Amino acid sequence: MLFRSPARPGSCADITQARQLGLVKLLAGGPVVEILADAGYQGLGARTGGRVVTPPHRKFKKNAPDWYEEMHERQRKAHSSRRIRVEHGIAHLKNWRALARHLGGREHMSDTVQAIAGLLSHQQTADLNPTQQV
């Protein structure tokens, strides 16, 4: 996990949250990495020098030519097949009971997510480097 925003009251669009937390500036001035984002971050690629890659935007809402529909579907599937690893990472976090059945207040949610992300990262690292037990 590269970034986790703190839990805040109320609903907020993903891209608004990223702007308010300074993620856009961090990405624009940081190392050149490619971030596969969902459609909630549409338009962020232009502001970060192409570092954020989102699904293709639909140019035609109605009466799109057949060639465009085919091209858009191919691009969408290509992005989706690359992004599936990100979705699986999010799913692994949500599988932890503390997040799946969170009943506490929001003031502890950020700490809980950070702790679970650390445990999951450690678990995955341990799985990659198994030690031999005698």
Side-chain angles (χ1 to χ4, degrees), residues 6 10 19 23 27 41 53 66 75 77 84 94 103 123:
R19 287 181 185 135
L23 184 61
L27 290 173
Y41 295 93
V53 180
D66 290 338
Q75 290 173 342
K77 283 187 178 184
I84 192 66
K94 290 180 177 180
L103 301 174
Q123 178 187 25

Side-chain angles (χ1 to χ4, degrees), residues 1-13:
M1 180 178 293
L2 297 175
F3 177 75
R4 176 200 50 82
S5 66
R8 293 186 172 178
S11 62
C12 182

Side-chain angles (χ1 to χ4, degrees), residues 37-40 42 53-58 72 75-76 79-80 83:
D38 63 14
Q42 202 85 41
V53 180
T54 57
H57 181 70
R58 281 189 82 79
H72 183 268
Q75 290 173 342
R76 191 190 63 73
H79 179 78
S80 177
R83 187 172 150 73

Side-chain angles (χ1 to χ4, degrees), residues 50-66:
R51 288 178 174 93
V52 176
V53 180
T54 57
H57 181 70
R58 281 189 82 79
K59 306 259 187 283
F60 296 94
K61 295 205 184 230
K62 296 179 183 176
N63 303 325
D66 290 338

Side-chain angles (χ1 to χ4, degrees), residues 109-127:
M109 181 58 115
S110 294
D111 294 332
T112 303
V113 171
Q114 186 171 0
I116 290 172
L119 289 170
L120 187 59
S121 178
H122 177 70
Q123 178 187 25
Q124 290 171 343
T125 303
D127 290 346

Side-chain angles (χ1 to χ4, degrees), residues 19-94:
R19 287 181 185 135
Q20 289 175 351
L21 294 171
L23 184 61
V24 176
K25 290 179 185 175
L26 180 70
L27 290 173
V32 179
V33 294
E34 183 180 67
I35 298 172
L36 299 172
D38 63 14
Y41 295 93
Q42 202 85 41
L44 206 58
R47 301 191 74 197
T48 59
R51 288 178 174 93
V52 176
V53 180
T54 57
H57 181 70
R58 281 189 82 79
K59 306 259 187 283
F60 296 94
K61 295 205 184 230
K62 296 179 183 176
N63 303 325
D66 290 338
W67 63 267
Y68 177 79
E69 289 293 337
E70 292 169 10
M71 179 190 69
H72 183 268
E73 189 64 18
R74 271 195 318 271
Q75 290 173 342
R76 191 190 63 73
K77 283 187 178 184
H79 179 78
S80 177
S81 66
R82 291 181 64 208
R83 187 172 150 73
I84 192 66
R85 288 169 280 190
V86 176
E87 293 295 338
H88 285 172
I90 293 168
H92 283 299
L93 281 173
K94 290 180 177 180

